[in-house]
Amino acid sequence: MAKFTGKKAKKLAGFNTASMGDIVFILLFFFMVTTTMRESEVKVRTDVPKASEVAKLERKDLTVYINIGPPIAAEQARYGTDTRIQLNDSFKTVDDIRNFIASFREGLDEKDRPYMTTALKIDKETRMGIVSDVKEELRRCQALKIMYNALKAE
Amino acid sequence: MTRNKKETPELNSTSTADISFLLICFFLMTSSMDQSMGINRLLPPIPEEDTKVEIQIKPHNVLQVLVDGQDRLSVNKKQIDIRDLKLTAKEFIQNPANDPAKSSKKEENIPGVGLVPVSEAVISLQNVRSTSYEAYLRVQNELTAAYNELRNEESTARYGRKFDDLNETQRDVITKIYRQRISESPPKDTRKNR
């Protein structure tokens, strides 16, 4: 039993944690990449207004986004500065919303469909005319749950 | 001197993991918070062609809110400041002095509570096509604030807690007492026929 009482017992082999940081860093990179990839490329400026009574979005996976605003500087040469509607990655018109909503609804579970929310990301300088048209179209598509995106005001 | 050269001091890297964990947490928090906040609304369904039921609402129960093309706000054809809208709406819905010009109340049977006077107020929100979205949302925000405050007052009086802290059934009761009745019709000017 001299093995355990001698000098060797005092020098315990230390657990090498140097690589743990690297592993976590890889995790970190993974999260950074996936969270930025999910966002579709924004082609319109959506500087949403501030509001004090904002509520959080309940189910992000049941949300379809509609962006409305003037095209960003890089797109203005081709699309002008007039207010446009962006669905997914391209400029669309009010009439395209029907198909867009329908295809999104198709991809949802049957039981989740009534909870589908349309988030309207609208630039604050937009005129209400186009917003009303979009809202009317959404009514026709039976997509009645909507949310006006806004920033939390202090 | 010779002893020191043999043992190179190791850098303690145990905390690297912790630091990067903090970074991960930071990224997780910020990426899920990105602007997924807003004001929720429920659009009215399109009425079916053959079932045209005219719902009669007495004119004293309607608060007409209009935002015009210059973003000016008027309530019942009187121009007011946006800062007064919340109070005006609250007073109209609650009508504490039972003013006949403001909304009337109707006794309603709410399960679990019994008969409660419920305001019949309807807020009619109108805008024109050239109203700016910012002004429109500001009005929506104030109206939501009015309802939220009424609900909070009611829930504090009834349960001694804020509306957000109530449980499901209690919240249901309060929502039934102060139901959000904001009616919007599409802008009348240059309405598209499709």
Side-chain angles (χ1 to χ4, degrees), chain A residues 3 18 25 27 32 39 42 47 55-56 65 69 76 82 85-86 93 98 116 122 128 145 148 150 153:
Chain A
K3 234 184 190 174
F25 254 116
L27 252 175
M32 280 169 71
E39 295 272 315
V42 181
D47 191 2
K56 266 190 187 163
Y65 290 91
Q76 275 176 10
D82 246 20
I85 300 168
Q86 186 195 354
T93 62
R98 182 180 294 266
M116 191 187 90
I122 305 173
M128 279 309 288
K145 262 189 92 169
Y148 300 109

Side-chain angles (χ1 to χ4, degrees), chain A residues 55 95 126-128 135 139 149, chain B residues 35 38 44 130-131 133 194:
Chain A
D95 301 295
T126 309
R127 299 283 141 189
M128 279 309 288
K135 271 160 63 183
R139 280 180 70 192
N149 267 66
Chain B
Q35 286 193 12
S130 52
T131 306
Y133 177 66
R194 279 196 291 159

Side-chain angles (χ1 to χ4, degrees), chain A residues 60-102:
Chain A
K60 230 180 167 183
D61 51 329
L62 302 182
T63 305
V64 54
Y65 290 91
I66 295 179
N67 299 318
I68 303 172
I72 55 167
E75 302 281 343
Q76 275 176 10
R78 279 174 67 197
Y79 297 101
T81 52
D82 246 20
T83 302
R84 295 293 207 111
I85 300 168
Q86 186 195 354
L87 308 170
N88 280 339
D89 279 333
S90 54
F91 292 115
K92 290 281 160 65
T93 62
V94 178
D95 301 295
D96 295 316
I97 290 176
R98 182 180 294 266
N99 281 331
F100 178 67
I101 296 285

Side-chain angles (χ1 to χ4, degrees), chain A residues 112-154:
Chain A
D112 284 338
R113 281 180 198 172
Y115 304 108
M116 191 187 90
T117 310
T118 313
L120 299 169
K121 260 189 173 176
I122 305 173
D123 189 80
K124 57 185 172 193
E125 277 159 33
T126 309
R127 299 283 141 189
M128 279 309 288
I130 191 166
V131 181
S132 303
D133 291 343
V134 169
K135 271 160 63 183
E136 278 300 292
E137 190 63 32
L138 286 173
R139 280 180 70 192
R140 281 192 208 100
C141 305
Q142 296 289 314
L144 301 177
K145 262 189 92 169
I146 62 165
M147 188 174 95
Y148 300 109
N149 267 66
L151 285 175
K152 178 121 180 91
E154 296 315 315

Side-chain angles (χ1 to χ4, degrees), chain B residues 5-159:
Chain B
K5 257 181 188 169
K6 264 180 197 165
E7 277 178 40
T8 34
E10 255 182 82
L11 191 72
N12 189 3
S13 56
T14 333
S15 54
T16 332
D18 301 45
I19 293 164
S20 23
F21 255 122
L22 278 178
L23 264 170
I24 283 193
C25 292
F26 169 70
F27 271 104
L28 280 174
M29 298 289 283
T30 48
S31 57
S32 62
M33 293 266 277
D34 61 347
Q35 286 193 12
S36 53
M37 288 180 131
I39 296 173
N40 286 304
R41 280 282 173 274
L42 209 60
L43 295 173
I46 297 236
E48 279 168 43
E49 294 293 317
D50 49 334
T51 53
K52 221 169 186 150
V53 186
E54 285 281 315
I55 303 162
Q56 288 291 325
I57 301 169
K58 286 174 193 132
H60 66 91
N61 279 335
V62 181
L63 186 74
Q64 278 183 336
V65 181
L66 176 82
V67 196
D68 73 1
Q70 273 81 48
D71 294 350
R72 282 175 306 213
L73 176 72
S74 58
V75 173
N76 284 346
K77 301 198 171 79
K78 230 169 59 196
Q79 261 198 41
I80 66 158
D81 195 84
I82 180 83
R83 279 164 291 190
D84 303 326
L85 178 63
K86 184 168 74 180
L87 215 69
T88 314
K90 266 179 79 177
E91 260 179 31
F92 181 81
I93 299 161
Q94 212 170 19
N95 196 5
N98 286 323
D99 185 348
K102 289 174 182 168
S103 71
S104 55
K105 292 188 183 71
K106 202 175 83 184
E107 295 267 308
E108 223 169 274
N109 191 22
I110 292 168
V113 184
L115 284 174
V116 178
V118 173
S119 174
E120 289 179 299
V122 174
I123 294 174
S124 152
L125 179 55
Q126 272 275 349
N127 59 272
V128 294
R129 290 183 74 87
S130 52
T131 306
S132 84
Y133 177 66
E134 191 179 17
Y136 170 79
L137 202 75
R138 209 159 49 210
V139 171
Q140 283 272 22
N141 184 48
E142 290 303 311
L143 295 178
T144 317
Y147 274 107
N148 283 354
E149 277 188 19
L150 285 172
R151 283 176 180 179
N152 265 335
E153 281 165 21
E154 184 70 28
S155 75
T156 337
R158 228 169 249 280
Y159 305 110

